[in-house]
Amino acid sequence: MRRLPLVPTLMTVAMVGVMVWLGFWQLQRRAWKHDLIARLEAAQTLPPLTPSDYYRAMIGAGSVAYRRAHVDCRPGRVSPYDIRGGESAKGESGFLVLVACSAPHRSHPDLVVVAGWTPRPFEGQLTVDTEFDGTIIERPYDKQPGRPLFMLIPRTAVAPLEPSRTPTPADLPDSHLSYAIQWFSFAATLGIIYGIFVARRRA
């Protein structure tokens, strides 16, 4: 009986092992993502945020993602802090107009508010002198230095803008199962190719 080729066999075993491990790792990530979504959904039922909640989030001692928040936003007549793509409460694509808020006693540091949605890029200024209630998103600009740490998506809008869509934890991408199936399929395919290679070699 002819022995198996050493190098191809070792390479195949190693690659199949890595692919199978990646598949199981994606399944673990899927379980982690489902747990995260469940915790974020539970966060929506908690009381509105307090200044101490923001502080804990800033020092990494907690999270305020998807928590309800009440913000007194009165910067007056201002230009938008930023314009970014987003959806309206009706699900229409367009642009979100963000403004920076001047909160009393800086109880809401590094915070921007979505003043509303518009179908076209907004030009000009807005008069913002109101109180907002909505959902908080953490690190809307990821880890860019000098950028706000929190963003409020309110249920209302500043005229003449329209309300924007409120994100939910269910919006978080959850494609780990499909990735796991892909890795397992790659491993099975490589195993089949190796089997055909060995069979032809022996023939």
Side-chain angles (χ1 to χ4, degrees), residues 129-167:
D129 185 15
T130 185
E131 296 181 356
F132 290 109
D133 286 286
T135 301
I136 284 288
I137 299 298
E138 288 184 323
R139 296 193 178 278
Y141 294 95
D142 198 16
K143 296 182 179 180
Q144 297 181 32
R147 289 291 196 172
L149 298 178
F150 311 107
M151 180 171 69
L152 178 74
I153 298 90
R155 294 186 292 270
T156 57
V158 175
L161 305 175
E162 299 180 30
S164 61
R165 177 181 176 274
T166 300

Side-chain angles (χ1 to χ4, degrees), residues 22-38 173-181:
L22 288 171
F24 281 111
W25 178 71
Q26 286 293 342
L27 292 179
Q28 293 175 351
R29 292 281 296 174
R30 181 171 183 259
W32 168 83
K33 180 62 70 63
H34 286 182
D35 178 69
L36 173 63
I37 292 175
D174 182 16
S175 53
H176 299 293
L177 179 59
S178 62
Y179 289 153
I181 293 175

Side-chain angles (χ1 to χ4, degrees), residues 110-126:
D110 296 328
L111 185 145
V112 289
V113 172
V114 176
W117 173 91
T118 175
R120 293 172 295 277
F122 182 83
E123 296 181 359
Q125 292 186 319
L126 292 169

